[in-house]
Amino acid sequence: MDKKKNSKSTKGVMIASVIMVVVILGVIVAGFFVSQPEEFIQGEIEMTDYRLSCKVPSRVKEIRVKEGDFVHKGDTLVIMEAPDIEAKLSQANAAKSAAEAMEDKAMAGARREEIQGASRCGRRQRLVLRLPKRHTTECNASLKME
């Protein structure tokens, strides 16, 4: 009878152990599938120093939040102003306008005044080439005076 009692109690312990292991495994598996609520951290930050960094030298133009405002990831907090970049942009635009004006002038051809001036200069040079050597210096002097 002792053997039967031992055997029954051993079977009972074994069954209880198996049930415990199954329950523990069930709790662990259920823990993986239960979604956790999103963490929400609430707090207050007090600062006297603000450190901002930017890829180009700039200064704060506008602050878009006030003390106590709720902010989210990706919100614009501060607008920065870079006067050096704006100056370089206006300089580049001016250079572009000057280049376009020179292109327009080249495409339009020479003005009548420029053609007349070049023609006069050519006539003077032809005149100088025809004169003998001693008159050349006199002619050059007279051309400079005009």
Side-chain angles (χ1 to χ4, degrees), residues 126-136 138-140:
R126 281 192 297 275
L127 178 66
V128 168
L129 290 174
R130 289 183 198 154
L131 291 175
K133 288 265 187 192
R134 63 173 203 240
H135 295 296
T136 309
E138 293 172 17
C139 184
N140 283 337

Side-chain angles (χ1 to χ4, degrees), residues 44-47 50 63-71:
E44 190 174 309
I45 297 175
E46 190 171 322
M47 294 179 65
Y50 304 100
I63 299 174
R64 292 197 169 179
V65 293
K66 295 180 214 117
E67 185 176 338
D69 287 352
F70 286 99
V71 294

Side-chain angles (χ1 to χ4, degrees), residues 5 7-8 14 25 27-29 34-36 42 44 46 58-60 62 73 82 95 98-99 108 111 118-119:
K5 220 178 195 185
S7 141
K8 278 187 179 183
M14 290 282 273
L25 288 175
V27 169
I28 292 172
V29 169
V34 174
S35 64
Q36 296 291 328
Q42 186 173 352
E44 190 174 309
E46 190 171 322
S58 58
R59 57 183 157 222
V60 176
E62 177 185 349
K73 183 178 180 181
R111 295 184 314 188
S119 176

Side-chain angles (χ1 to χ4, degrees), residues 87-104:
K88 286 182 181 183
L89 178 63
S90 64
Q91 186 180 19
N93 286 334
K96 179 184 175 196
S97 297
E100 288 172 349
M102 289 177 69
E103 180 188 23
D104 291 344

